Amino acid sequence: MGEEHYLELCESPVQFEHASNVNNVFFDEANKQVFAVRSGGATGVVVKGPEDKSSVAFRMDDKGEVKCIKFSIGNKILAVQRTSKSVDFINFIPDYPHTEFTQECKTKNASVLGFCWTNWNEIVFITDQGIEFYQVFPDKRSLKLLKSQSINVNWYQYCPETAVILLSTTVQGNILQPFAFRNGTMSKMSKFEIELPVVPKPAKLSLSERDIAMATIYGQLFVMYLKHHSRTANSPSAEVVLYHLPREGACKKSHVLKLNTTGKFALNIVDNLVVVHHQSSQVRYTYSVYGGLSVSVAHSPKYFNNVCVYSSSWSVFQPDIIISASEGVGDRSVVKLPPTVNLLQDKGKLMDFLLRRRDCKMVILSVCSQILEGGEKGSLPVVATVFDKLNQVYKEYLEAEQTYTVAMESGPSRGSAAQKRPVRTQAVIDQSDMYTHVLSSFTERKGVSHKFIIAVLMEYIRSLNQFQITVQHYLYELVIKTLVQHNLFYMLHQFLQYHVLSDSKPLACLLLSLESTYPPAHQLSLDMLKRLSTANDEIVEVLLSKQQVLGALRFIRSVGGHDNVSARKFLDAAQQTGDQMLFYTVFRSFQQRNQRLRGSPNFNPGEHCEEHVVHFKQLFGDQALMKPSTV
C-alpha cells in the first residue's frame, strides 16, 4: 500500500451556545447544515451552516420529540419527523402560508426510518418496508406520490452530491440496494454484496450502519466499508474497503486501505482524501487513493475550549463533519497543503497528489522553485517530468475552453445539452504563473550555471510545444535576456536561425534594442518582422512605442516606405525620448527627404510639424536649419 507520509489537517470548529440545553443535534447533508434542537414549551432550533451568515434560528410548536429535521435545498421548505408514521412540513418561502401540513407514509404498518430531500420540492421517505418518492406543493400544502418501491430495509444512507440512496437489506444487512434520483425520476441501480469478515461458527455478523459511508472521490461515487477482523484472524487490524458504484453497471471493490490498528472508527472525505477517525487514540489517518498511491498519515485533532470532538457521543457526517452532540462542538476538517512539499521524494508522484487538491496552485509553484533550487545534478529529467504533468492539465483546460467557445459561437444545437463553461481550478498552472513565480526569479539566482538556467527555460518551452500550447513571447524574451546577460550571442544566433525561438513582434523589438550590444541583432529583427508578414505601418508603430525611433526609420527605408510616412509621427516619438541628438538626427532626416522630393527642406503646412520646427530652433538655433538647395 505504499509508505506512510506526513500530511497536516486543520479544524474549522462550530460551537453551539448553551450546549447543555440542546436535546439533539442533526446534520443536513444536502445543505451542509447542523441543527441544534432544544425543547421546553416550544421547540427552539438553531441552524448553522459552513458560514455564520447562513445561520438561522426559529421556534416551532412542541408536538413531540424531533427524530429528524432538514431543510429542502435552498432552505425553502422545512421537513420534521416526530413520529414513525408521518413527516410534517413548514413553508419558509416568503408569502406562502406557514401553517404546518403533514404527510403519512402510504405503506400500511410501515415505520418511517427517515427522509431525504433530492430537490427543493422532492423528498423520499425511507421506511422499513421500502421507499416513497414525493413531490411537494408548498402553495397547496400537499404532496403527490411519484413512485414507490417495496423492499425490506434495515437502514439507509444518502449521498446528496449524486442523489443516490443506499438501502441495507437481508438479515445480515450486507446486500445493499442503491436508488438514484434525478429530475423527478427514480432509478433502481445494481445491488451488490459487502463481503463480511469470516468469524468462527456458529457466530454470525451483520453489517452495521456505522461501518458504511458514501461519498464522491474525484467525481465518482464510492461506498466505504470499515471492516473489523476478529481477534482470531491472521491480521486482526481493521481496514477500509472501497467499492466503486457507477450509475450504470456493477459495483466493484476498488481499494483496500490498511489501518494497522483496531477500535472504533469513523470515515470522512476531505478534498478527495479518505480520512479515518480513530476514537480511542483521538488520531485521524488520511489516505490518497488516486492511481494506486496510498499516502497514510497520523494526525491528532485540536481541542476546542478544552473539549475534543472525539467523545463517546460523536457523530460523523459526509463529507467532512464530525460532531460531539453532548459537548455541543463540531469539527470540519480541511487539508493544509504547504507541509506536503516533503510528502514524497518522487516529485512526479507528488505532482500527481498536489494537482488533485483544491488549493494547490501556490504549493505547486513553491515545489517547482524548490526543485530548481536543489542543484543541477540529475534534476533536469525531474524538471521535465514536472513540466509535462503541469502542461498536460493546462492543455486539457485550454481545449475545454476552446470547445466551449466554438459551441457558443455556433449556437445551441437541437437535442444537445447546454454547454457549461469549464471551471478553471487551481491545478491550471499557466505560462504567466510559471514566469512570475518561478522562472523569472530563477534566472536571477546567483551561483547557478547559465547552462542549467538556459536548459530549464528551454525544457519548459519544449514541454509547451509538446502539448501544442502557443508559447508566450515573454518566455522567449527571458531566454534572450539570459543569453545576452552571459554574452552567449552565438547561441542566440543559432536559436533564431533554426527557429527555436518563434517569431513575434515583441521579440523582434527586443532584438532591435540589442543592436548596440550585438550589431547582427538589427538584421535578425528585420528578417523576423518580414517573416511575420505584418503590415509595415503596424511594425513602425510597434518600434516607435518601444522608442526604437532610428530602428523604425531604418526599417521603413528597408521596405521602401520612407517617402510616404508621416514626419510628425517620427518627430513626436523622437521628442518624447528627451534625447536631443536623436531629435536632431530624425528632424534632419526628414528635411533631407523634403529637399529630395520637393526641392525644399521645409515642411508643408499639411504635415503639421510647426511645433517641431519651433522646438528644433530652441535647441539648436535658426542657423542649424537646412537651407533650400540652390542647385
Side-chain angles (χ1 to χ4, degrees), residues 345-518:
Q345 293 303 311
D346 185 326
K347 299 306 178 187
K349 286 186 177 180
L350 177 58
M351 280 298 153
D352 287 336
F353 176 83
L354 292 175
L355 283 168
R356 286 159 182 85
R357 307 283 76 80
R358 191 178 297 114
D359 301 318
C360 62
K361 174 167 287 188
M362 296 314 297
V363 182
I364 287 174
L365 293 169
S366 173
V367 170
C368 291
S369 294
Q370 287 193 18
I371 292 172
L372 296 181
E373 290 170 5
E376 305 170 26
K377 188 177 180 181
S379 62
L380 205 55
V382 175
V383 170
T385 298
V386 169
F387 285 163
D388 286 348
K389 288 183 180 293
L390 297 181
N391 287 328
Q392 182 175 358
V393 177
Y394 181 21
K395 176 64 174 179
E396 288 168 358
Y397 170 75
L398 292 176
E399 287 181 338
E401 187 71 30
Q402 185 179 18
T403 301
Y404 171 80
T405 302
V406 171
M408 291 299 100
E409 290 174 352
S410 61
S413 57
R414 183 177 298 176
S416 65
Q419 189 86 16
K420 288 186 178 181
R421 180 161 203 152
V423 177
R424 179 169 182 150
T425 67
Q426 287 204 20
V428 178
I429 309 293
D430 63 19
Q431 297 173 66
S432 175
D433 295 324
M434 285 298 295
Y435 175 85
T436 303
H437 299 284
V438 181
L439 297 177
S440 58
S441 58
F442 171 63
T443 59
E444 300 296 326
R445 279 188 59 218
K446 305 295 182 184
V448 180
S449 75
H450 59 265
K451 289 183 179 179
F452 183 60
I453 292 174
I454 295 296
V456 168
L457 294 177
M458 297 312 298
E459 193 59 52
Y460 185 60
I461 290 171
R462 178 219 44 91
S463 180
L464 291 169
N465 287 326
Q466 178 177 315
F467 288 96
Q468 299 179 317
I469 301 171
T470 303
V471 181
Q472 294 298 313
H473 65 85
Y474 48 76
L475 290 173
Y476 289 135
E477 289 177 12
L478 192 59
V479 173
I480 291 175
K481 288 177 180 177
T482 305
L483 291 170
V484 171
Q485 184 181 352
H486 296 283
N487 296 316
L488 299 173
F489 296 111
Y490 70 94
M491 191 178 288
L492 170 60
H493 207 113
Q494 285 185 323
F495 281 177
L496 293 168
Q497 185 177 356
Y498 295 106
H499 305 292
V500 175
L501 306 178
S502 299
D503 296 344
S504 72
K505 284 186 290 184
L507 207 58
C509 293
L510 176 61
L511 287 172
L512 273 177
S513 69
L514 299 175
E515 183 182 1
S516 59
T517 309
Y518 182 55

Side-chain angles (χ1 to χ4, degrees), residues 503-510 528-529 532 534 538-539 542 546:
D503 296 344
S504 72
K505 284 186 290 184
L507 207 58
C509 293
L510 176 61
M528 183 179 291
L529 289 168
L532 288 167
T534 310
E538 188 177 353
I539 294 172
V542 171
K546 298 285 187 179

Side-chain angles (χ1 to χ4, degrees), residues 57 80 183 595:
V80 185
N183 300 327
Q595 176 71 39

Side-chain angles (χ1 to χ4, degrees), residues 21-35:
N21 297 328
V22 174
N23 298 97
N24 227 327
V25 175
F26 302 92
F27 183 69
D28 176 357
E29 57 272 275
N31 293 301
K32 304 293 184 287
Q33 294 170 327
V34 180
F35 287 74

Side-chain angles (χ1 to χ4, degrees), residues 213-250:
M214 275 202 304
T216 54
I217 305 175
Y218 303 118
Q220 300 294 313
L221 179 59
F222 285 85
V223 174
M224 300 180 288
Y225 167 44
L226 266 170
K227 190 172 186 179
H228 303 270
H229 291 282
S230 66
R231 296 183 183 278
T232 58
N234 292 331
S235 56
S237 61
E239 59 191 26
V240 179
V241 184
L242 270 65
Y243 293 83
H244 178 222
L245 182 56
R247 190 167 284 270
E248 295 180 2

Side-chain angles (χ1 to χ4, degrees), residues 153-253:
V153 179
N154 302 309
W155 46 262
Y156 73 96
Q157 297 229 350
Y158 179 56
C159 177
E161 288 81 10
T162 56
V164 171
I165 293 177
L166 192 66
L167 305 180
S168 164
T169 68
T170 70
V171 176
Q172 287 186 280
N174 64 327
I175 304 296
L176 301 182
Q177 175 63 65
F179 288 87
F181 298 84
R182 181 184 290 171
N183 300 327
T185 63
M186 181 177 84
S187 306
K188 189 176 184 180
M189 299 168 66
S190 299
K191 66 181 178 181
F192 62 99
E193 181 177 357
I194 296 290
E195 182 184 326
L196 297 174
V198 177
V199 293
K201 293 182 179 181
K204 281 190 176 182
L205 285 179
S206 60
L207 184 64
S208 168
E209 179 182 4
R210 291 191 306 270
D211 294 334
I212 291 289
M214 275 202 304
T216 54
I217 305 175
Y218 303 118
Q220 300 294 313
L221 179 59
F222 285 85
V223 174
M224 300 180 288
Y225 167 44
L226 266 170
K227 190 172 186 179
H228 303 270
H229 291 282
S230 66
R231 296 183 183 278
T232 58
N234 292 331
S235 56
S237 61
E239 59 191 26
V240 179
V241 184
L242 270 65
Y243 293 83
H244 178 222
L245 182 56
R247 190 167 284 270
E248 295 180 2
C251 179
K252 294 182 180 179
K253 184 194 298 186

Side-chain angles (χ1 to χ4, degrees), residues 34 36 38 96-97 104 152 167 180 270 333 373 427 489 519 532 596:
V34 180
R38 296 192 295 266
Y96 274 55
E104 291 191 359
N152 290 329
L167 305 180
V270 183
S333 299
E373 290 170 5
F489 296 111
L532 288 167
R596 178 170 51 81

